[in-house]
Amino acid sequence: MSGAAASDEARVARLRRDFPILAREVSGKPLAYLDNAASTQRPRAVLDAMTAAYERHYANVHRGIHTLAQEADELFEAAREKVRALLSAPSAEQIIFTSGATAAINLAARSFGDRFLNPGDEILLTEMEHHANLVPWQQTAERTGAVIRYVPLTDDGRLDLDAFDRLLGPRTKLVALTAVSNVLGTINPLAEIISRAHAAGAEVLVDGAQSVPHMPCDVQSLGCDLLVFSGHKMLGPTGVGVLYGRRDLLERMPPFLGGGSMIREVRFDGFLPADLPYKFEAGTPPIAEVIGLGAAIDYLGQVGWEWIERRERLLTEAAHRALGRIEGLRIIGPEPRHKGGIVSFAIDRLHPHDAAELLDRQGVAVRAGHHCAMPLHQRLGLSASTRASFYFYNTLEEVERLAEALEKAKAVFRRK
Ligand code: 7TS
């Protein structure tokens, strides 16, 4: 190991002490948590911020004049500002808190669809989308009469950009795609796609669930019109996510959920919606969770975004090398240089669920199944796959343990 690599591993060892759960044992072995694409773990700083919110500063937000309500409100809005800074968004009013990426896409699909889509209009998705970026658009298409088209993949699991150009047309109103595939790990060329979509007059929604936690994101230089992500995939709590939008677009989009907080005025014969961002935030929001997400963003900023990205590239390359040595194992997706920290694979005569269970017996946590991307697996000719997904706190040793555990799993099955 080079000096730089050794000092990175030493830094990771220190950072891991911030995550109580990473010290756990599973099946009598140290836990190797390689299921970060499903959800990451939380550092103490996030848990402490949430506990402090409940123990010292808790009240409902946006309503009270009393001290606790003001403190809660300040912490809540400070977290909104942290998200704004994270995304380099022009203003905090363009940051809408939801319960997660799924809820954010549903909000966008309903509201954008109701406002802008007519029968025959086209929504362009890709073959690698998570169900969260498929089903809401299918529902919207059903309601509006819009038509969905899918950008196909190349054989190595990247978007076919020539096909994208052919599919993009005067009827395309929206392109909705993931920044990083949760199965293939593919990092999509967003800047290129967004500029081509805009040239064709279409808006672009980016599903940032697998990118925002892992790499720097600047919505203004990217030029996306809408972007979503979840807190729990970036050290934050469950139950909180974000929809960012271009201001004029959000202003023209109608509210999705109705209720308290999202109105300026309510009469017996109707209502006037509140200004951004509140018009999209009906009801009591996930207050402690938003504050926890703010703490997660602080923590990630201290770790350093460039370092996080580099670290995950290193782990992914190591995983490709280690898994590449296993006979009968096929990695699904492109070369590491086109990928985030996600490595999915199929092994001859070893079902993904059996693989994941045998790995668990060796303390290695991975996910098996269709990973909420059934159409993608269909396209790949697989019913399921096994997926290892990394965060900066994973170690090269854990990558080796994954490979060794897979060799053992194969051996167990050969004996059966
Ligand atoms: N979009 C992508 C690309 C995702 O990977 C996920 C969750 C979502 C949207 C939905 O996020 P949620 O927080 O609203 O659930 N992906 C996964 C996964 O790959 N394994 O478990 C959840």
Side-chain angles (χ1 to χ4, degrees), residues 138-175:
Q138 291 173 342
Q139 291 172 310
T140 285
E142 247 174 57
R143 255 198 343 272
T144 61
V147 176
I148 298 178
R149 304 208 181 280
Y150 294 94
V151 182
L153 305 186
T154 59
D155 286 338
D156 70 338
R158 298 161 69 199
L159 292 180
D160 181 340
L161 292 184
D162 292 335
F164 172 69
D165 282 339
R166 285 194 296 275
L167 286 162
L168 201 57
R171 306 230 64 170
T172 316
K173 289 289 180 310
L174 181 84
V175 178

PDB file of all heavy atoms in Angstrom, residues 138-175:
ATOM      1  N   GLN A 138     -45.560   6.925 -14.730  1.00  0.00           N
ATOM      2  CA  GLN A 138     -46.581   6.074 -15.345  1.00  0.00           C
ATOM      3  C   GLN A 138     -47.964   6.514 -14.857  1.00  0.00           C
ATOM      4  O   GLN A 138     -48.924   6.574 -15.632  1.00  0.00           O
ATOM      5  CB  GLN A 138     -46.307   4.597 -15.009  1.00  0.00           C
ATOM      6  CG  GLN A 138     -45.048   4.079 -15.700  1.00  0.00           C
ATOM      7  CD  GLN A 138     -44.645   2.677 -15.254  1.00  0.00           C
ATOM      8  OE1 GLN A 138     -45.082   2.190 -14.206  1.00  0.00           O
ATOM      9  NE2 GLN A 138     -43.797   2.027 -16.042  1.00  0.00           N
ATOM     10  N   GLN A 139     -48.045   6.850 -13.575  1.00  0.00           N
ATOM     11  CA  GLN A 139     -49.330   7.338 -13.041  1.00  0.00           C
ATOM     12  C   GLN A 139     -49.705   8.672 -13.693  1.00  0.00           C
ATOM     13  O   GLN A 139     -50.868   8.905 -14.034  1.00  0.00           O
ATOM     14  CB  GLN A 139     -49.230   7.511 -11.518  1.00  0.00           C
ATOM     15  CG  GLN A 139     -49.113   6.184 -10.773  1.00  0.00           C
ATOM     16  CD  GLN A 139     -48.822   6.390  -9.293  1.00  0.00           C
ATOM     17  OE1 GLN A 139     -47.913   7.137  -8.930  1.00  0.00           O
ATOM     18  NE2 GLN A 139     -49.584   5.733  -8.434  1.00  0.00           N
ATOM     19  N   THR A 140     -48.711   9.534 -13.845  1.00  0.00           N
ATOM     20  CA  THR A 140     -48.957  10.836 -14.470  1.00  0.00           C
ATOM     21  C   THR A 140     -49.388  10.656 -15.930  1.00  0.00           C
ATOM     22  O   THR A 140     -50.285  11.348 -16.413  1.00  0.00           O
ATOM     23  CB  THR A 140     -47.685  11.714 -14.376  1.00  0.00           C
ATOM     24  OG1 THR A 140     -47.582  12.172 -13.026  1.00  0.00           O
ATOM     25  CG2 THR A 140     -47.750  12.921 -15.287  1.00  0.00           C
ATOM     26  N   ALA A 141     -48.735   9.713 -16.609  1.00  0.00           N
ATOM     27  CA  ALA A 141     -49.095   9.457 -18.007  1.00  0.00           C
ATOM     28  C   ALA A 141     -50.539   8.979 -18.098  1.00  0.00           C
ATOM     29  O   ALA A 141     -51.299   9.409 -18.971  1.00  0.00           O
ATOM     30  CB  ALA A 141     -48.137   8.429 -18.613  1.00  0.00           C
ATOM     31  N   GLU A 142     -50.923   8.116 -17.174  1.00  0.00           N
ATOM     32  CA  GLU A 142     -52.299   7.626 -17.151  1.00  0.00           C
ATOM     33  C   GLU A 142     -53.295   8.773 -16.971  1.00  0.00           C
ATOM     34  O   GLU A 142     -54.342   8.810 -17.596  1.00  0.00           O
ATOM     35  CB  GLU A 142     -52.479   6.665 -15.968  1.00  0.00           C
ATOM     36  CG  GLU A 142     -52.730   5.231 -16.364  1.00  0.00           C
ATOM     37  CD  GLU A 142     -52.748   4.328 -15.142  1.00  0.00           C
ATOM     38  OE1 GLU A 142     -53.554   4.587 -14.228  1.00  0.00           O
ATOM     39  OE2 GLU A 142     -51.937   3.388 -15.111  1.00  0.00           O
ATOM     40  N   ARG A 143     -52.953   9.691 -16.083  1.00  0.00           N
ATOM     41  CA  ARG A 143     -53.880  10.780 -15.779  1.00  0.00           C
ATOM     42  C   ARG A 143     -53.964  11.810 -16.889  1.00  0.00           C
ATOM     43  O   ARG A 143     -55.004  12.398 -17.131  1.00  0.00           O
ATOM     44  CB  ARG A 143     -53.442  11.495 -14.488  1.00  0.00           C
ATOM     45  CG  ARG A 143     -54.264  11.181 -13.298  1.00  0.00           C
ATOM     46  CD  ARG A 143     -54.131  12.180 -12.163  1.00  0.00           C
ATOM     47  NE  ARG A 143     -52.994  13.053 -12.208  1.00  0.00           N
ATOM     48  CZ  ARG A 143     -51.806  12.777 -11.708  1.00  0.00           C
ATOM     49  NH1 ARG A 143     -51.594  11.630 -11.128  1.00  0.00           N
ATOM     50  NH2 ARG A 143     -50.822  13.645 -11.794  1.00  0.00           N
ATOM     51  N   THR A 144     -52.807  12.064 -17.547  1.00  0.00           N
ATOM     52  CA  THR A 144     -52.747  13.195 -18.484  1.00  0.00           C
ATOM     53  C   THR A 144     -52.839  12.773 -19.945  1.00  0.00           C
ATOM     54  O   THR A 144     -53.040  13.622 -20.813  1.00  0.00           O
ATOM     55  CB  THR A 144     -51.421  13.963 -18.314  1.00  0.00           C
ATOM     56  OG1 THR A 144     -50.342  13.057 -18.605  1.00  0.00           O
ATOM     57  CG2 THR A 144     -51.278  14.504 -16.905  1.00  0.00           C
ATOM     58  N   GLY A 145     -52.621  11.498 -20.221  1.00  0.00           N
ATOM     59  CA  GLY A 145     -52.579  11.074 -21.620  1.00  0.00           C
ATOM     60  C   GLY A 145     -51.210  11.278 -22.243  1.00  0.00           C
ATOM     61  O   GLY A 145     -51.025  11.105 -23.454  1.00  0.00           O
ATOM     62  N   ALA A 146     -50.225  11.648 -21.412  1.00  0.00           N
ATOM     63  CA  ALA A 146     -48.855  11.766 -21.936  1.00  0.00           C
ATOM     64  C   ALA A 146     -48.302  10.371 -22.222  1.00  0.00           C
ATOM     65  O   ALA A 146     -48.822   9.368 -21.726  1.00  0.00           O
ATOM     66  CB  ALA A 146     -47.967  12.494 -20.933  1.00  0.00           C
ATOM     67  N   VAL A 147     -47.248  10.335 -23.017  1.00  0.00           N
ATOM     68  CA  VAL A 147     -46.663   9.064 -23.450  1.00  0.00           C
ATOM     69  C   VAL A 147     -45.238   8.979 -22.900  1.00  0.00           C
ATOM     70  O   VAL A 147     -44.500   9.960 -22.953  1.00  0.00           O
ATOM     71  CB  VAL A 147     -46.611   9.019 -25.003  1.00  0.00           C
ATOM     72  CG1 VAL A 147     -45.931   7.752 -25.495  1.00  0.00           C
ATOM     73  CG2 VAL A 147     -48.023   9.151 -25.570  1.00  0.00           C
ATOM     74  N   ILE A 148     -44.886   7.788 -22.396  1.00  0.00           N
ATOM     75  CA  ILE A 148     -43.520   7.615 -21.855  1.00  0.00           C
ATOM     76  C   ILE A 148     -42.647   6.900 -22.872  1.00  0.00           C
ATOM     77  O   ILE A 148     -43.067   5.917 -23.486  1.00  0.00           O
ATOM     78  CB  ILE A 148     -43.553   6.799 -20.548  1.00  0.00           C
ATOM     79  CG1 ILE A 148     -44.364   7.547 -19.497  1.00  0.00           C
ATOM     80  CG2 ILE A 148     -42.131   6.548 -20.040  1.00  0.00           C
ATOM     81  CD1 ILE A 148     -44.498   6.810 -18.193  1.00  0.00           C
ATOM     82  N   ARG A 149     -41.438   7.409 -23.039  1.00  0.00           N
ATOM     83  CA  ARG A 149     -40.446   6.714 -23.863  1.00  0.00           C
ATOM     84  C   ARG A 149     -39.207   6.472 -23.010  1.00  0.00           C
ATOM     85  O   ARG A 149     -38.965   7.199 -22.056  1.00  0.00           O
ATOM     86  CB  ARG A 149     -40.077   7.540 -25.088  1.00  0.00           C
ATOM     87  CG  ARG A 149     -41.279   7.917 -25.925  1.00  0.00           C
ATOM     88  CD  ARG A 149     -40.912   8.112 -27.388  1.00  0.00           C
ATOM     89  NE  ARG A 149     -42.088   8.500 -28.145  1.00  0.00           N
ATOM     90  CZ  ARG A 149     -43.022   7.638 -28.581  1.00  0.00           C
ATOM     91  NH1 ARG A 149     -42.889   6.350 -28.337  1.00  0.00           N
ATOM     92  NH2 ARG A 149     -44.078   8.061 -29.242  1.00  0.00           N
ATOM     93  N   TYR A 150     -38.467   5.439 -23.388  1.00  0.00           N
ATOM     94  CA  TYR A 150     -37.317   5.049 -22.568  1.00  0.00           C
ATOM     95  C   TYR A 150     -36.021   5.110 -23.370  1.00  0.00           C
ATOM     96  O   TYR A 150     -35.941   4.523 -24.455  1.00  0.00           O
ATOM     97  CB  TYR A 150     -37.502   3.622 -22.047  1.00  0.00           C
ATOM     98  CG  TYR A 150     -38.677   3.511 -21.079  1.00  0.00           C
ATOM     99  CD1 TYR A 150     -39.943   3.128 -21.531  1.00  0.00           C
ATOM    100  CD2 TYR A 150     -38.512   3.813 -19.729  1.00  0.00           C
ATOM    101  CE1 TYR A 150     -41.019   3.037 -20.652  1.00  0.00           C
ATOM    102  CE2 TYR A 150     -39.587   3.727 -18.843  1.00  0.00           C
ATOM    103  CZ  TYR A 150     -40.832   3.339 -19.314  1.00  0.00           C
ATOM    104  OH  TYR A 150     -41.888   3.251 -18.442  1.00  0.00           O
ATOM    105  N   VAL A 151     -35.038   5.783 -22.817  1.00  0.00           N
ATOM    106  CA  VAL A 151     -33.710   5.789 -23.450  1.00  0.00           C
ATOM    107  C   VAL A 151     -33.069   4.427 -23.177  1.00  0.00           C
ATOM    108  O   VAL A 151     -32.931   4.032 -22.015  1.00  0.00           O
ATOM    109  CB  VAL A 151     -32.805   6.893 -22.847  1.00  0.00           C
ATOM    110  CG1 VAL A 151     -31.448   6.904 -23.555  1.00  0.00           C
ATOM    111  CG2 VAL A 151     -33.489   8.249 -22.925  1.00  0.00           C
ATOM    112  N   PRO A 152     -32.689   3.705 -24.240  1.00  0.00           N
ATOM    113  CA  PRO A 152     -32.104   2.376 -24.028  1.00  0.00           C
ATOM    114  C   PRO A 152     -30.656   2.452 -23.529  1.00  0.00           C
ATOM    115  O   PRO A 152     -30.042   3.517 -23.543  1.00  0.00           O
ATOM    116  CB  PRO A 152     -32.168   1.744 -25.419  1.00  0.00           C
ATOM    117  CG  PRO A 152     -32.151   2.892 -26.369  1.00  0.00           C
ATOM    118  CD  PRO A 152     -32.804   4.054 -25.663  1.00  0.00           C
ATOM    119  N   LEU A 153     -30.144   1.304 -23.124  1.00  0.00           N
ATOM    120  CA  LEU A 153     -28.768   1.225 -22.619  1.00  0.00           C
ATOM    121  C   LEU A 153     -27.859   0.569 -23.642  1.00  0.00           C
ATOM    122  O   LEU A 153     -28.300  -0.230 -24.464  1.00  0.00           O
ATOM    123  CB  LEU A 153     -28.738   0.375 -21.342  1.00  0.00           C
ATOM    124  CG  LEU A 153     -29.669   0.787 -20.206  1.00  0.00           C
ATOM    125  CD1 LEU A 153     -29.397  -0.067 -18.978  1.00  0.00           C
ATOM    126  CD2 LEU A 153     -29.493   2.262 -19.882  1.00  0.00           C
ATOM    127  N   THR A 154     -26.584   0.875 -23.521  1.00  0.00           N
ATOM    128  CA  THR A 154     -25.583   0.136 -24.290  1.00  0.00           C
ATOM    129  C   THR A 154     -25.332  -1.171 -23.550  1.00  0.00           C
ATOM    130  O   THR A 154     -25.750  -1.337 -22.402  1.00  0.00           O
ATOM    131  CB  THR A 154     -24.269   0.937 -24.367  1.00  0.00           C
ATOM    132  OG1 THR A 154     -23.806   1.157 -23.025  1.00  0.00           O
ATOM    133  CG2 THR A 154     -24.479   2.286 -25.042  1.00  0.00           C
ATOM    134  N   ASP A 155     -24.590  -2.078 -24.191  1.00  0.00           N
ATOM    135  CA  ASP A 155     -24.392  -3.384 -23.558  1.00  0.00           C
ATOM    136  C   ASP A 155     -23.573  -3.289 -22.277  1.00  0.00           C
ATOM    137  O   ASP A 155     -23.677  -4.161 -21.418  1.00  0.00           O
ATOM    138  CB  ASP A 155     -23.755  -4.370 -24.549  1.00  0.00           C
ATOM    139  CG  ASP A 155     -24.783  -4.823 -25.571  1.00  0.00           C
ATOM    140  OD1 ASP A 155     -25.995  -4.721 -25.281  1.00  0.00           O
ATOM    141  OD2 ASP A 155     -24.377  -5.250 -26.669  1.00  0.00           O
ATOM    142  N   ASP A 156     -22.747  -2.244 -22.143  1.00  0.00           N
ATOM    143  CA  ASP A 156     -21.984  -2.136 -20.884  1.00  0.00           C
ATOM    144  C   ASP A 156     -22.720  -1.299 -19.833  1.00  0.00           C
ATOM    145  O   ASP A 156     -22.137  -0.911 -18.820  1.00  0.00           O
ATOM    146  CB  ASP A 156     -20.562  -1.620 -21.138  1.00  0.00           C
ATOM    147  CG  ASP A 156     -20.544  -0.147 -21.550  1.00  0.00           C
ATOM    148  OD1 ASP A 156     -21.588   0.348 -22.029  1.00  0.00           O
ATOM    149  OD2 ASP A 156     -19.496   0.503 -21.385  1.00  0.00           O
ATOM    150  N   GLY A 157     -24.016  -1.015 -20.065  1.00  0.00           N
ATOM    151  CA  GLY A 157     -24.821  -0.404 -19.003  1.00  0.00           C
ATOM    152  C   GLY A 157     -24.721   1.105 -18.928  1.00  0.00           C
ATOM    153  O   GLY A 157     -24.858   1.696 -17.861  1.00  0.00           O
ATOM    154  N   ARG A 158     -24.486   1.737 -20.098  1.00  0.00           N
ATOM    155  CA  ARG A 158     -24.508   3.209 -20.119  1.00  0.00           C
ATOM    156  C   ARG A 158     -25.653   3.650 -21.020  1.00  0.00           C
ATOM    157  O   ARG A 158     -26.209   2.858 -21.776  1.00  0.00           O
ATOM    158  CB  ARG A 158     -23.176   3.734 -20.637  1.00  0.00           C
ATOM    159  CG  ARG A 158     -22.034   3.303 -19.706  1.00  0.00           C
ATOM    160  CD  ARG A 158     -20.685   3.388 -20.371  1.00  0.00           C
ATOM    161  NE  ARG A 158     -20.310   4.763 -20.603  1.00  0.00           N
ATOM    162  CZ  ARG A 158     -19.378   5.150 -21.466  1.00  0.00           C
ATOM    163  NH1 ARG A 158     -18.730   4.261 -22.196  1.00  0.00           N
ATOM    164  NH2 ARG A 158     -19.076   6.422 -21.611  1.00  0.00           N
ATOM    165  N   LEU A 159     -26.006   4.933 -20.909  1.00  0.00           N
ATOM    166  CA  LEU A 159     -27.109   5.405 -21.752  1.00  0.00           C
ATOM    167  C   LEU A 159     -26.651   5.493 -23.194  1.00  0.00           C
ATOM    168  O   LEU A 159     -25.531   5.950 -23.472  1.00  0.00           O
ATOM    169  CB  LEU A 159     -27.582   6.788 -21.279  1.00  0.00           C
ATOM    170  CG  LEU A 159     -28.277   6.835 -19.923  1.00  0.00           C
ATOM    171  CD1 LEU A 159     -28.676   8.273 -19.594  1.00  0.00           C
ATOM    172  CD2 LEU A 159     -29.497   5.924 -19.898  1.00  0.00           C
ATOM    173  N   ASP A 160     -27.531   5.088 -24.101  1.00  0.00           N
ATOM    174  CA  ASP A 160     -27.245   5.189 -25.529  1.00  0.00           C
ATOM    175  C   ASP A 160     -27.614   6.612 -25.967  1.00  0.00           C
ATOM    176  O   ASP A 160     -28.786   6.918 -26.190  1.00  0.00           O
ATOM    177  CB  ASP A 160     -28.071   4.132 -26.264  1.00  0.00           C
ATOM    178  CG  ASP A 160     -27.826   4.155 -27.768  1.00  0.00           C
ATOM    179  OD1 ASP A 160     -27.348   5.187 -28.278  1.00  0.00           O
ATOM    180  OD2 ASP A 160     -28.123   3.136 -28.407  1.00  0.00           O
ATOM    181  N   LEU A 161     -26.611   7.463 -26.069  1.00  0.00           N
ATOM    182  CA  LEU A 161     -26.884   8.881 -26.318  1.00  0.00           C
ATOM    183  C   LEU A 161     -27.373   9.147 -27.745  1.00  0.00           C
ATOM    184  O   LEU A 161     -28.080  10.124 -27.987  1.00  0.00           O
ATOM    185  CB  LEU A 161     -25.650   9.728 -26.008  1.00  0.00           C
ATOM    186  CG  LEU A 161     -25.269   9.795 -24.520  1.00  0.00           C
ATOM    187  CD1 LEU A 161     -24.097  10.730 -24.300  1.00  0.00           C
ATOM    188  CD2 LEU A 161     -26.449  10.224 -23.640  1.00  0.00           C
ATOM    189  N   ASP A 162     -26.990   8.289 -28.683  1.00  0.00           N
ATOM    190  CA  ASP A 162     -27.520   8.456 -30.039  1.00  0.00           C
ATOM    191  C   ASP A 162     -29.026   8.192 -30.033  1.00  0.00           C
ATOM    192  O   ASP A 162     -29.808   8.919 -30.657  1.00  0.00           O
ATOM    193  CB  ASP A 162     -26.832   7.489 -31.020  1.00  0.00           C
ATOM    194  CG  ASP A 162     -25.364   7.865 -31.216  1.00  0.00           C
ATOM    195  OD1 ASP A 162     -25.038   9.053 -31.018  1.00  0.00           O
ATOM    196  OD2 ASP A 162     -24.566   6.968 -31.526  1.00  0.00           O
ATOM    197  N   ALA A 163     -29.408   7.147 -29.289  1.00  0.00           N
ATOM    198  CA  ALA A 163     -30.846   6.847 -29.182  1.00  0.00           C
ATOM    199  C   ALA A 163     -31.554   7.980 -28.451  1.00  0.00           C
ATOM    200  O   ALA A 163     -32.688   8.345 -28.795  1.00  0.00           O
ATOM    201  CB  ALA A 163     -31.043   5.522 -28.454  1.00  0.00           C
ATOM    202  N   PHE A 164     -30.899   8.525 -27.434  1.00  0.00           N
ATOM    203  CA  PHE A 164     -31.476   9.664 -26.702  1.00  0.00           C
ATOM    204  C   PHE A 164     -31.792  10.801 -27.686  1.00  0.00           C
ATOM    205  O   PHE A 164     -32.891  11.367 -27.668  1.00  0.00           O
ATOM    206  CB  PHE A 164     -30.496  10.120 -25.614  1.00  0.00           C
ATOM    207  CG  PHE A 164     -30.883  11.402 -24.930  1.00  0.00           C
ATOM    208  CD1 PHE A 164     -31.994  11.455 -24.088  1.00  0.00           C
ATOM    209  CD2 PHE A 164     -30.135  12.565 -25.119  1.00  0.00           C
ATOM    210  CE1 PHE A 164     -32.355  12.633 -23.448  1.00  0.00           C
ATOM    211  CE2 PHE A 164     -30.493  13.747 -24.478  1.00  0.00           C
ATOM    212  CZ  PHE A 164     -31.609  13.788 -23.651  1.00  0.00           C
ATOM    213  N   ASP A 165     -30.825  11.115 -28.543  1.00  0.00           N
ATOM    214  CA  ASP A 165     -31.038  12.184 -29.530  1.00  0.00           C
ATOM    215  C   ASP A 165     -32.221  11.886 -30.437  1.00  0.00           C
ATOM    216  O   ASP A 165     -33.001  12.773 -30.772  1.00  0.00           O
ATOM    217  CB  ASP A 165     -29.784  12.365 -30.395  1.00  0.00           C
ATOM    218  CG  ASP A 165     -28.709  13.153 -29.658  1.00  0.00           C
ATOM    219  OD1 ASP A 165     -29.056  13.871 -28.698  1.00  0.00           O
ATOM    220  OD2 ASP A 165     -27.532  13.034 -30.032  1.00  0.00           O
ATOM    221  N   ARG A 166     -32.335  10.613 -30.814  1.00  0.00           N
ATOM    222  CA  ARG A 166     -33.441  10.241 -31.706  1.00  0.00           C
ATOM    223  C   ARG A 166     -34.793  10.334 -30.989  1.00  0.00           C
ATOM    224  O   ARG A 166     -35.805  10.680 -31.585  1.00  0.00           O
ATOM    225  CB  ARG A 166     -33.236   8.816 -32.246  1.00  0.00           C
ATOM    226  CG  ARG A 166     -32.151   8.714 -33.327  1.00  0.00           C
ATOM    227  CD  ARG A 166     -32.234   7.382 -34.068  1.00  0.00           C
ATOM    228  NE  ARG A 166     -31.980   6.241 -33.205  1.00  0.00           N
ATOM    229  CZ  ARG A 166     -30.764   5.770 -32.908  1.00  0.00           C
ATOM    230  NH1 ARG A 166     -29.689   6.342 -33.430  1.00  0.00           N
ATOM    231  NH2 ARG A 166     -30.613   4.733 -32.115  1.00  0.00           N
ATOM    232  N   LEU A 167     -34.786  10.028 -29.692  1.00  0.00           N
ATOM    233  CA  LEU A 167     -36.053  10.027 -28.949  1.00  0.00           C
ATOM    234  C   LEU A 167     -36.508  11.431 -28.568  1.00  0.00           C
ATOM    235  O   LEU A 167     -37.694  11.689 -28.352  1.00  0.00           O
ATOM    236  CB  LEU A 167     -35.903   9.180 -27.680  1.00  0.00           C
ATOM    237  CG  LEU A 167     -35.877   7.672 -27.922  1.00  0.00           C
ATOM    238  CD1 LEU A 167     -35.309   6.937 -26.719  1.00  0.00           C
ATOM    239  CD2 LEU A 167     -37.286   7.165 -28.237  1.00  0.00           C
ATOM    240  N   LEU A 168     -35.531  12.313 -28.430  1.00  0.00           N
ATOM    241  CA  LEU A 168     -35.837  13.680 -28.026  1.00  0.00           C
ATOM    242  C   LEU A 168     -36.508  14.394 -29.201  1.00  0.00           C
ATOM    243  O   LEU A 168     -35.960  14.405 -30.296  1.00  0.00           O
ATOM    244  CB  LEU A 168     -34.506  14.359 -27.692  1.00  0.00           C
ATOM    245  CG  LEU A 168     -34.460  15.580 -26.813  1.00  0.00           C
ATOM    246  CD1 LEU A 168     -35.102  15.317 -25.462  1.00  0.00           C
ATOM    247  CD2 LEU A 168     -32.999  16.000 -26.617  1.00  0.00           C
ATOM    248  N   GLY A 169     -37.691  14.949 -28.957  1.00  0.00           N
ATOM    249  CA  GLY A 169     -38.372  15.592 -30.077  1.00  0.00           C
ATOM    250  C   GLY A 169     -39.218  16.748 -29.610  1.00  0.00           C
ATOM    251  O   GLY A 169     -39.226  17.084 -28.417  1.00  0.00           O
ATOM    252  N   PRO A 170     -39.959  17.337 -30.526  1.00  0.00           N
ATOM    253  CA  PRO A 170     -40.773  18.504 -30.179  1.00  0.00           C
ATOM    254  C   PRO A 170     -41.861  18.195 -29.155  1.00  0.00           C
ATOM    255  O   PRO A 170     -42.344  19.103 -28.483  1.00  0.00           O
ATOM    256  CB  PRO A 170     -41.390  18.926 -31.520  1.00  0.00           C
ATOM    257  CG  PRO A 170     -41.237  17.758 -32.425  1.00  0.00           C
ATOM    258  CD  PRO A 170     -40.054  16.983 -31.947  1.00  0.00           C
ATOM    259  N   ARG A 171     -42.238  16.915 -29.024  1.00  0.00           N
ATOM    260  CA  ARG A 171     -43.284  16.566 -28.057  1.00  0.00           C
ATOM    261  C   ARG A 171     -42.716  16.273 -26.669  1.00  0.00           C
ATOM    262  O   ARG A 171     -43.460  16.095 -25.714  1.00  0.00           O
ATOM    263  CB  ARG A 171     -44.062  15.323 -28.547  1.00  0.00           C
ATOM    264  CG  ARG A 171     -44.614  15.474 -29.950  1.00  0.00           C
ATOM    265  CD  ARG A 171     -46.059  15.121 -30.010  1.00  0.00           C
ATOM    266  NE  ARG A 171     -46.884  16.024 -29.224  1.00  0.00           N
ATOM    267  CZ  ARG A 171     -48.211  16.058 -29.257  1.00  0.00           C
ATOM    268  NH1 ARG A 171     -48.849  15.239 -30.032  1.00  0.00           N
ATOM    269  NH2 ARG A 171     -48.889  16.895 -28.512  1.00  0.00           N
ATOM    270  N   THR A 172     -41.373  16.162 -26.584  1.00  0.00           N
ATOM    271  CA  THR A 172     -40.765  15.845 -25.281  1.00  0.00           C
ATOM    272  C   THR A 172     -40.890  17.045 -24.358  1.00  0.00           C
ATOM    273  O   THR A 172     -40.338  18.108 -24.619  1.00  0.00           O
ATOM    274  CB  THR A 172     -39.258  15.498 -25.438  1.00  0.00           C
ATOM    275  OG1 THR A 172     -39.089  14.632 -26.538  1.00  0.00           O
ATOM    276  CG2 THR A 172     -38.723  14.866 -24.159  1.00  0.00           C
ATOM    277  N   LYS A 173     -41.637  16.873 -23.274  1.00  0.00           N
ATOM    278  CA  LYS A 173     -41.822  17.980 -22.324  1.00  0.00           C
ATOM    279  C   LYS A 173     -40.874  17.835 -21.140  1.00  0.00           C
ATOM    280  O   LYS A 173     -40.528  18.822 -20.495  1.00  0.00           O
ATOM    281  CB  LYS A 173     -43.267  18.001 -21.800  1.00  0.00           C
ATOM    282  CG  LYS A 173     -44.270  18.450 -22.846  1.00  0.00           C
ATOM    283  CD  LYS A 173     -44.091  19.942 -23.122  1.00  0.00           C
ATOM    284  CE  LYS A 173     -45.039  20.510 -24.158  1.00  0.00           C
ATOM    285  NZ  LYS A 173     -45.146  19.824 -25.402  1.00  0.00           N
ATOM    286  N   LEU A 174     -40.507  16.587 -20.856  1.00  0.00           N
ATOM    287  CA  LEU A 174     -39.689  16.362 -19.666  1.00  0.00           C
ATOM    288  C   LEU A 174     -38.782  15.157 -19.871  1.00  0.00           C
ATOM    289  O   LEU A 174     -39.208  14.133 -20.399  1.00  0.00           O
ATOM    290  CB  LEU A 174     -40.590  16.094 -18.451  1.00  0.00           C
ATOM    291  CG  LEU A 174     -39.804  15.882 -17.156  1.00  0.00           C
ATOM    292  CD1 LEU A 174     -39.469  17.223 -16.517  1.00  0.00           C
ATOM    293  CD2 LEU A 174     -40.570  15.017 -16.178  1.00  0.00           C
ATOM    294  N   VAL A 175     -37.542  15.317 -19.436  1.00  0.00           N
ATOM    295  CA  VAL A 175     -36.619  14.185 -19.339  1.00  0.00           C
ATOM    296  C   VAL A 175     -36.389  13.967 -17.850  1.00  0.00           C
ATOM    297  O   VAL A 175     -36.045  14.909 -17.136  1.00  0.00           O
ATOM    298  CB  VAL A 175     -35.276  14.497 -20.042  1.00  0.00           C
ATOM    299  CG1 VAL A 175     -34.305  13.332 -19.892  1.00  0.00           C
ATOM    300  CG2 VAL A 175     -35.505  14.824 -21.522  1.00  0.00           C
TER     301      VAL A 175
END
